Amino acid sequence: MEVYRGKSVFQGVAIGRISLYRKLRRTVYYNIADPAAEYERFLQAQKTALDDLAVLHKKVLTEVGKSEAEIFEVHQIMLQDPDYVGSVEDMIKTQMINAEYAVAQTNENFFSRFSAMEDTYMQARAIDIRDISERLISILAGDNDNHPGAEEPAIIIADDLVPSEIMQMEREKIMSFVMVHGSVNSHTAILARTMGIPTITGVDMVLEEELDGEFAIVDGNTGYIYIKPNEEIIFTMQKKLQTEINNKNLLQAYKNKESVTLDGRSVRLNANIGNLHDLTRALQSGAEGIGLFRSEFLYLEKDNYPSEEEQFQAYRFVVEKMAGKRVIIRTLDIGADKKINYLNLKEEENPAMGLRGIRIYFKHPQVFRTQLRALLRTAAFGKISIMYPLITSVEEVMQIKRMVEEEKENLEKEHISYGELEQGIMIETPAAVMIGDLLAKHVDFFSIGTNDLSQYILAADRQNPLLDSFFDVHHPAVLRAIEQTVQNAHNAGIWCGICGELGADRELTKRFLKMGVDELSVSPENILPLRKLIREMNTQEFKKAPEK
Ligand code: PEP
Ligand code: MG
C-alpha cells in the first residue's frame, strides 16, 4: 500500500480505480536535419488522423445520426486542404523545423484568419482548424489517448486541472479528483465542491503510468489517498463511506424545513450551480433558490460562444425547473483562471487583477449583449435576477444598466418578448465595499463574493497554493468588510447575501446571522448541514470572539 496526503478540497470517500489524466503535450520546437523525412512523418500522421476520423464518422453515423457525423467528414476535408498542408510543408522545408511545430504555427495563422472573418460560419471553422491541428500534434507526439476524463467511473488523478477540462468530462465518470498542484481556493476547487466530488490537492506524488487502473481509496475529509490499500484500510473506509451515506439520509429530514433559528431569525439558503447537472443536486438538496449560477461555465464547456438561443434555452430550463423560486444568474465572469480560448485574450502578467469580469463587457460588448438578450428573453418565462461580477465603481454599474436598457429597446423593435429582471452586483473588491453606500442606490441587491474579496483584501492570490496559509478568510478585515456591506445594503433598503465559499463556513454561520445577512448561497451539498445547524441555533447566545 502507498499512502499520500494532500489538502482537502471537498469531503467524502471514493473507492475505485485510478484514471490518470493526461494533458496534451506541449508543442516543442526543434530543428531537423532531414526535411524530406520530416515531411514524410507529417504525411504519416495525416494518414493516421484520416483513418481515425473515418472510424469516428462511421461510429457516430450508426450510433447517433447523420448530422452529428458530418463534422468528421468536414475534418477529413480540412486535413487535406492544400493551403493547410502546403503551409506545413513549406515551414518544414524552408525553416527546417519539426512537424509538430509547423502544425502548431500553421494552426495559429489559420485560426486567427478564420476567427477574424465576418461570416459566422467561417468563424466557427476556426475551432475545426484547432481540432484537426491538435489531433495531428497528438499523433506526431505519440499520444494515443487524448480524451478528457475516464471511460468508466474512476478516481481522476492529474498534475493539475483547469475549469474547462473539468467541464468537458462526464460527471458520471468522476468519483474523485486528486491533484498534485492547485490551490483550495481556485475555481477548479470550487467546481469540485459545487459538483460534490471528494477532492484533494497538493498531493506530492509522481504520476507514473503504472498508476493508471490501480485500485485506490480517497478520503476527502483527511486529504489521504491510499493506493493498493490493505484489508484494514478497505474495511475502515467502507465503514466511513457507509456512515456518510447514513448521515446524508438523516439530513433529508431537513429538506422541506425552513431555515430559521430557535430565536426566530431566518435566512435564505440557496444553491450555487455551474451547469444544468448541478441543478438536479440543488433541487434534491432543498435549496430555496439559486443564489449564484456561474454562467461562464456554459462558455467553458464549449469550443465556441454559446449562441443567444442556446443560452436562452439553458436559462429557461433553470428558471422553469426552479418553479418560481428566485434564480440569480451571474453574468459572464471570464478571465484569471477561467479562460476561454475562442475569446483570444492576451496572456497577462497579473491575470487576477487583469481583464476579467465586467471589464470584458466593455472590450467585447457583443459577447455581453448576446448574453443580456438571452437573459431578458428568459425573464418573460419566470422570475430571474442577474448580477454583475467584479464591480469597482458606480460608473460601471450605470454603463451596464444602460446596455440593459438598450437591449430591451432592441428586443422591442424586433418584437421579441422579454421580461423585467432584478439587477444586483457582486461585492468582491475592496473598492465596492468602501463605496457600498453609493452603489446600493443603483441596484436591487448585493451578493458578497468572499473568494475574490478575500484575495483582494489580503493581497493573496487565490490560485497560489503557497499562499493557502495567508488566505485567512476569518481575518477581521474580511469580516468587517462583510458587516459593512450588509449595513450599507440595509441602510439603502436592499438585501444582501453571501455567495462566496465562506457562506458555507459553519464556524461563522451564527456571526453572519447576527450581522443580518439575508441569504447564504452555497454548494448544494452544504445546504442541509447548514439548515440543521441553523435550526438548532440561538443567535441570542452569540458572543463575538475578540478580534485577532
Ligand atoms: C467569489 O469571488 O466569491 C465568487 C462567488 O465568485 P467566483 O468564485 O466565481 O470568482
Ligand atoms: Mg468572484
Side-chain angles (χ1 to χ4, degrees):
M1 174 168 83
E2 288 170 53
V3 186
Y4 299 93
R5 188 170 193 188
K7 285 178 268 189
S8 162
V9 170
F10 192 72
Q11 74 269 16
V13 172
I15 304 178
R17 301 259 159 217
I18 292 174
S19 168
L20 208 54
Y21 180 79
R22 303 173 189 83
K23 290 190 190 267
L24 278 186
R25 289 187 201 180
R26 284 190 192 283
T27 324
V28 287
Y29 167 96
Y30 56 89
N31 281 114
I32 41 116
D34 184 348
E38 191 64 10
Y39 181 55
E40 184 51 37
R41 198 165 76 83
F42 165 74
L43 291 178
Q44 280 306 319
Q46 184 199 37
K47 184 174 175 313
T48 309
L50 286 170
D51 291 347
D52 289 352
L53 286 167
V55 173
L56 266 175
H57 178 258
K58 198 164 158 202
K59 185 171 185 301
V60 177
L61 192 64
T62 48
E63 291 175 15
V64 190
K66 191 167 180 304
S67 60
E68 287 78 6
E70 257 166 24
I71 189 66
F72 301 109
E73 259 176 347
V74 174
H75 283 191
Q76 282 171 294
I77 295 166
M78 291 175 102
L79 257 175
Q80 299 171 84
D81 176 75
D83 282 349
Y84 184 89
V85 176
S87 160
V88 176
E89 180 179 10
D90 192 50
M91 282 190 197
I92 294 176
K93 293 188 174 164
T94 58
Q95 298 176 33
M96 308 285 278
I97 54 173
N98 58 318
E100 290 91 327
Y101 201 72
V103 170
Q105 290 302 300
T106 301
N107 169 54
E108 266 184 36
N109 297 341
F110 277 63
F111 187 87
S112 17
R113 208 184 301 160
F114 276 79
S115 306
M117 288 183 184
E118 288 284 314
D119 184 323
T120 48
Y121 176 82
M122 295 310 275
Q123 273 177 14
R125 298 284 72 79
I127 303 299
D128 297 318
I129 299 273
R130 203 174 57 208
D131 221 319
I132 61 160
S133 305
E134 280 181 356
R135 184 177 291 280
L136 281 168
I137 292 169
S138 163
I139 295 168
L140 283 162
D143 293 335
N144 46 21
D145 172 20
N146 58 12
H147 300 292
E151 299 296 323
E152 296 296 329
I155 295 167
I156 314 275
I157 303 194
D159 193 42
D160 65 357
L161 289 166
V162 294
S164 58
E165 287 171 318
I166 293 190
M167 294 310 290
Q168 286 173 27
M169 294 178 188
E170 281 180 65
R171 171 66 186 89
E172 295 71 28
K173 308 277 168 71
I174 313 165
M175 297 176 80
S176 165
F177 288 124
V178 176
M179 289 170 282
V180 176
H181 295 108
S183 140
V184 295
N185 304 302
S186 67
H187 277 100
T188 300
I190 290 173
L191 253 184
R193 284 196 281 269
T194 308
M195 294 161 95
I197 295 170
T199 299
I200 56 177
T201 188
V203 186
D204 189 12
M205 61 194 287
V206 181
L207 302 188
E208 283 161 345
E209 279 298 315
E210 297 79 69
L211 284 175
D212 207 37
E214 204 52 84
F215 181 63
I217 298 181
V218 177
D219 183 351
N221 311 283
T222 56
Y224 278 107
I225 173 165
Y226 306 90
I227 296 166
K228 290 183 265 177
N230 60 30
E231 291 293 317
E232 196 189 330
I233 290 291
I234 296 176
F235 180 75
T236 316
M237 287 297 148
Q238 274 172 341
K239 248 175 79 180
K240 199 164 177 178
L241 185 59
Q242 194 50 51
T243 313
E244 271 176 11
I245 296 170
N246 295 346
N247 286 345
K248 268 195 190 160
N249 290 340
L250 285 176
L251 281 171
Q252 285 300 311
Y254 292 87
K255 196 170 156 190
N256 297 315
K257 298 246 162 78
E258 280 180 55
S259 310
V260 59
T261 63
L262 294 172
D263 54 319
R265 234 176 226 274
S266 66
V267 67
R268 269 193 312 279
L269 276 188
N270 281 0
N272 291 349
I273 60 167
N275 62 22
L276 306 184
H277 262 290
D278 301 334
L279 184 62
T280 318
R281 294 188 20 265
L283 285 165
Q284 285 164 356
S285 70
E288 292 163 56
I290 301 297
L292 167 64
F293 177 3
R294 288 184 163 93
S295 71
E296 58 276 10
F297 290 121
L298 288 181
Y299 294 69
L300 285 166
E301 54 192 24
K302 296 185 63 84
D303 283 339
N304 207 346
Y305 300 104
S307 64
E308 178 185 320
E309 191 56 31
E310 274 175 85
Q311 292 190 57
F312 167 62
Q313 296 297 348
Y315 303 145
R316 184 175 160 183
F317 181 79
V318 176
V319 168
E320 290 185 343
K321 278 268 179 214
M322 291 309 289
K325 292 180 179 164
R326 183 187 260 124
V327 173
I328 304 177
I329 300 174
R330 194 251 312 265
T331 51
L332 184 65
D333 187 14
I334 286 297
D337 58 329
K338 288 178 288 192
K339 290 201 174 67
I340 48 176
N341 291 337
Y342 49 86
L343 200 53
N344 277 332
L345 294 176
K346 291 210 174 68
E347 284 291 319
E348 292 173 294
E349 188 96 340
N350 211 343
M353 304 225 199
L355 193 59
R356 54 165 300 199
I358 51 132
R359 297 170 185 180
I360 291 182
Y361 307 169
F362 307 125
K363 296 267 174 205
H364 300 267
Q366 208 41 55
V367 178
F368 180 51
R369 286 180 183 276
T370 303
Q371 181 173 36
L372 278 181
R373 285 172 62 95
L375 291 166
L376 284 162
R377 285 174 57 195
T378 310
F381 290 87
K383 212 171 96 191
I384 60 166
S385 309
I386 61 176
M387 63 180 176
Y388 310 119
L390 213 79
I391 292 289
T392 58
S393 73
V394 171
E395 183 45 40
E396 287 165 353
V397 177
M398 304 303 281
Q399 236 177 306
I400 291 175
K401 286 178 78 175
R402 273 199 295 275
M403 287 163 109
V404 174
E405 289 311 309
E406 282 160 13
E407 285 317 314
K408 280 188 199 165
E409 280 164 27
N410 289 337
L411 288 169
E412 192 108 37
K413 276 190 218 139
E414 295 165 41
H415 305 292
I416 299 174
S417 56
Y418 69 89
E420 294 300 328
L421 28 76
E422 266 191 324
Q423 295 178 71
I425 54 171
M426 295 198 59
I427 301 291
E428 51 182 354
T429 63
V433 173
M434 290 177 201
I435 58 163
D437 54 335
L438 306 178
L439 289 166
K441 292 184 192 141
H442 300 278
V443 294
D444 298 315
F445 64 93
F446 281 168
S447 186
I448 308 176
T450 51
N451 311 330
D452 278 315
L453 186 57
S454 307
Q455 106 164 319
Y456 297 128
I457 286 185
L458 301 170
D461 179 357
R462 64 194 265 191
Q463 287 294 113
N464 185 344
L466 295 178
L467 300 182
D468 279 353
S469 64
F470 293 93
F471 203 92
D472 174 15
V473 287
H474 288 202
H475 193 293
V478 175
L479 298 176
R480 281 189 194 188
I482 295 173
E483 188 156 25
Q484 189 181 328
T485 303
V486 177
Q487 277 167 7
N488 279 328
H490 289 177
N491 289 344
I494 62 170
W495 64 266
C496 178
I498 298 180
C499 65
E501 298 294 283
L502 202 58
D505 187 328
R506 282 176 253 164
E507 279 179 43
L508 293 174
T509 311
K510 201 181 254 188
R511 190 147 180 191
F512 291 152
L513 263 59
K514 273 298 237 196
M515 286 180 191
V517 171
D518 302 287
E519 173 177 308
L520 293 172
S521 193
V522 299
S523 55
E525 236 67 28
N526 278 315
I527 290 182
L528 293 180
L530 262 177
R531 185 167 294 148
K532 178 173 186 297
L533 178 75
I534 289 166
R535 288 183 64 84
E536 291 165 359
M537 169 183 290
N538 184 344
T539 60
Q540 303 293 329
E541 289 164 5
F542 173 72
K543 274 202 199 62
K544 197 167 167 179
E547 286 186 352
K548 289 176 265 177

